Amino acid sequence: MEGQDEVSAREQHFHSQVRESTICFLLFAILYIVSYFIITRYKRKSDEQEDEDAIVNRISLFLSTFTLAVSAGAVLLLPFSIISNEILLSFPQNYYIQWLNGSLIHGLWNLASLFSNLCLFVLMPFAFFFLESEGFAGLKKGIRARILETLVMLILLALLILGIVWVASALIDNDAASMESLYDLWEFYLPYLYSCISLMGCLLLLLCTPVGLSRMFTVMGQLLVKPTILEDLDEQIYIITLEEEALQRRLSGLSSSVEYNVTELEQELENVKILKKKLERRKKASAWERNLVYPAVMVLLLIETSISVLLVACNILCLLVDETAMPKGTRGPGIGNASLSAFGFVGAALEIILIFYLMVSSVVGFYSLRFFGNFIPKKDDTTMTKIIGNCVSILVLSSALPVMSRTLGLHKLHLSDTPRDSDTAKPSANGHQKAL
């Protein structure tokens, strides 16, 4: 009888692992396809050639797509965990959602952490060096030579980083135990290296988010059609059309020898055409779009910004007066045991909206900074090097999003370390909760 129970438990554990692997594969496949279409929309079309460089660009494209899919998964995983918790609370005994359990959520978080480390420290450096490599002098040119040069560059980069860590450790803490711990790279340094990257991402988010919150109104104002109050669009279009015709006549009358005048006039003509398209779009927009959508979006942005600032201010006050409010001092009920908000599903939905708003604002603020302004991708005119830089930047921001959201008090999700076969196995006596 005990043997049959053991076989049944092993079979159930096997089926649970197969089910979780299938779900993870399907979710990642969807993210990969979406990421591929996003990157190909911005990738420069002139890079598509049928030669050795085309193969290198294609490999770098696949690695960049993989990284962008991991970044999207890291961003979506926190809202997915929150909504999964509310669904499990609403339908605890529903047969059709038995696949949605704590074991699956833990597996997704582990995979997100593993793939983030893999992309950040292996795939993206390989893609960059592989794209810039040409092969060592004296060797036969080809893909193998470029791969060899890329691997050598990666090894040299790893040795450089280890050397910097060794020197820094010798200068800061010249202790025998500290020096010996340098050899324990896999167990000691590599797990914390990703934490350091997340810390840098948190600092970058803290820098970018306020800028993004202020820039969101400007960006939405450029994307939406503003109401036409005391404006005559027909007259403006007529004037801009005359200006366009005048510039075209001046260009046709100039000789090609005056290069600087021709370049300036072409740039001015391009700006005039862009302004004309904007005016024509405003004219074609319906009254509902002009007079209802724009004010509603602006009011919604104002409400979301106010709620975000209010929640952060309340959390800071709680941290000042209550030590147990610190993330390290809290212990949560785990997935499917208690609601994350006093308002139930509505409060969880509000948290998800605020998390997405925070991420979008941080991305807008990142591209609004003067140092990263050149990273903005352009449709059909973005090089693979710039695409790799964008993927790494988004990966760093997305990796820091759960930590920053938890620190600022935008969510209160906790993951309990449950057994893999959570539906049948009893809770472990030494099981503990892990806060995000």
Side-chain angles (χ1 to χ4, degrees):
M1 192 68 180
E2 294 180 357
Q4 293 180 355
D5 294 339
E6 183 180 357
V7 172
S8 178
R10 290 173 57 187
E11 290 180 353
Q12 190 170 2
H13 179 68
F14 172 76
H15 291 304
S16 177
Q17 285 187 330
V18 172
R19 178 183 60 200
E20 292 173 9
S21 301
T22 304
I23 293 173
C24 294
F25 175 77
L26 292 177
L27 293 177
F28 184 79
I30 294 173
L31 293 177
Y32 189 90
I33 293 173
V34 174
S35 301
Y36 178 80
F37 282 111
I38 292 175
I39 291 182
T40 52
R41 177 180 176 85
Y42 291 98
K43 181 177 178 292
R44 179 177 292 177
K45 302 303 180 183
S46 60
D47 293 340
E48 297 179 357
Q49 305 171 357
E50 294 300 330
D51 54 2
E52 179 182 321
D53 292 335
I55 299 176
V56 174
N57 286 327
R58 196 173 297 117
I59 294 175
S60 301
L61 173 64
F62 292 153
L63 296 179
S64 301
T65 305
F66 184 86
T67 303
L68 186 60
V70 172
S71 304
V75 172
L76 296 174
L77 195 51
L78 184 56
F80 178 77
S81 302
I82 294 175
I83 196 171
S84 299
N85 180 74
E86 300 301 325
I87 291 176
L88 291 175
L89 285 175
S90 302
F91 309 98
Q93 302 298 331
N94 195 319
Y95 174 77
Y96 296 100
I97 61 171
Q98 293 299 314
W99 57 273
L100 193 62
N101 50 37
S103 178
L104 175 64
I105 303 300
H106 274 285
L108 290 174
W109 279 105
N110 292 333
L111 288 177
S113 177
L114 174 64
F115 287 154
S116 298
N117 282 279
L118 181 65
C119 294
L120 194 59
F121 300 118
V122 179
L123 297 185
M124 285 295 93
F126 178 84
F128 176 76
F129 288 127
F130 189 48
L131 193 66
E132 299 295 330
S133 64
E134 295 181 357
F136 291 112
L139 296 179
K140 184 180 180 180
K141 301 296 182 180
I143 299 296
R144 292 184 178 180
R146 300 181 74 160
I147 292 177
L148 178 61
E149 181 183 353
T150 303
L151 294 178
V152 171
M153 291 298 297
L154 288 177
I155 294 173
L156 293 177
L157 179 63
L159 292 177
L160 176 63
I161 295 176
L162 292 178
I164 293 175
V165 172
W166 187 281
V167 173
S169 178
L171 293 176
I172 297 175
D173 188 9
N174 191 10
D175 187 12
S178 177
M179 300 299 291
E180 289 179 0
S181 65
L182 288 173
Y183 297 104
D184 196 7
L185 297 176
W186 185 261
E187 296 292 337
F188 186 78
Y189 278 98
L190 290 182
Y192 288 99
L193 188 59
Y194 183 69
S195 300
C196 295
I197 299 297
S198 296
L199 176 60
M200 295 174 57
C202 285
L203 297 178
L204 186 62
L205 277 177
L206 291 174
L207 177 65
C208 297
T209 304
V211 180
L213 291 175
S214 61
R215 283 280 300 170
M216 283 293 292
F217 296 92
T218 305
V219 172
M220 296 306 297
Q222 295 174 353
L223 296 177
L224 299 177
V225 178
K226 299 181 180 180
T228 55
I229 302 176
L230 302 178
E231 287 186 281
D232 190 353
L233 293 179
D234 293 330
E235 182 180 356
Q236 294 182 18
I237 292 176
Y238 178 71
I239 294 174
I240 206 70
T241 302
L242 293 179
E243 186 175 354
E244 181 184 2
E245 293 176 354
L247 289 173
Q248 289 177 348
R249 286 195 297 267
R250 290 180 61 185
L251 279 174
S252 60
L254 287 176
S255 60
S256 59
S257 59
V258 191
E259 295 183 358
Y260 65 95
N261 287 335
V262 172
T263 304
E264 291 178 358
L265 288 177
E266 288 179 350
Q267 183 65 33
E268 188 176 354
L269 180 60
E270 186 67 24
N271 296 334
V272 168
K273 289 182 179 180
I274 294 175
L275 181 59
K276 183 179 179 180
K277 289 181 180 179
K278 293 181 178 179
L279 292 174
E280 291 177 348
R281 180 171 176 264
R282 292 182 62 186
K283 182 180 179 180
K284 294 178 182 179
S286 61
W288 289 96
E289 185 179 357
R290 290 196 304 265
N291 302 323
L292 182 62
V293 175
Y294 182 83
V297 171
M298 289 300 167
V299 171
L300 183 61
L301 287 179
L302 182 61
I303 293 174
E304 290 180 348
T305 305
S306 302
I307 293 176
S308 301
V309 174
L310 182 62
L311 288 177
V312 172
C314 293
N315 185 66
I316 292 175
L317 291 177
C318 292
L319 294 177
L320 291 176
V321 301
D322 187 7
E323 185 179 357
T324 60
M326 294 291 291
K328 65 178 182 179
T330 55
R331 291 295 180 266
I335 295 292
N337 294 327
S339 180
L340 301 175
S341 174
F343 300 99
F345 192 82
V346 177
L350 179 61
E351 289 182 356
I352 293 174
I353 294 174
L354 291 179
I355 289 172
F356 278 121
Y357 182 60
L358 177 67
M359 185 61 193
V360 174
S361 300
S362 63
V363 173
V364 172
F366 174 79
Y367 288 116
S368 300
L369 296 177
R370 185 174 301 176
F371 182 76
F372 300 105
N374 295 328
F375 272 71
I376 300 177
K378 298 179 181 179
K379 182 182 178 182
D380 297 333
D381 193 26
T382 306
T383 60
M384 278 305 306
T385 305
K386 189 175 292 186
I387 288 176
I388 292 173
N390 280 274
C391 291
V392 172
S393 303
I394 294 176
L395 179 61
V396 172
L397 293 175
S398 62
S399 300
L401 180 64
V403 179
M404 182 178 176
S405 301
R406 181 70 185 99
T407 305
L408 296 180
L410 296 181
H411 77 90
K412 298 179 180 179
L413 178 66
H414 301 264
L415 295 179
S416 59
D417 292 336
T418 55
R420 298 297 296 177
D421 192 7
S422 59
D423 296 335
T424 59
K426 295 181 180 181
S428 176
N430 58 352
H432 62 279
Q433 283 84 15
K434 178 175 60 178
L436 291 177

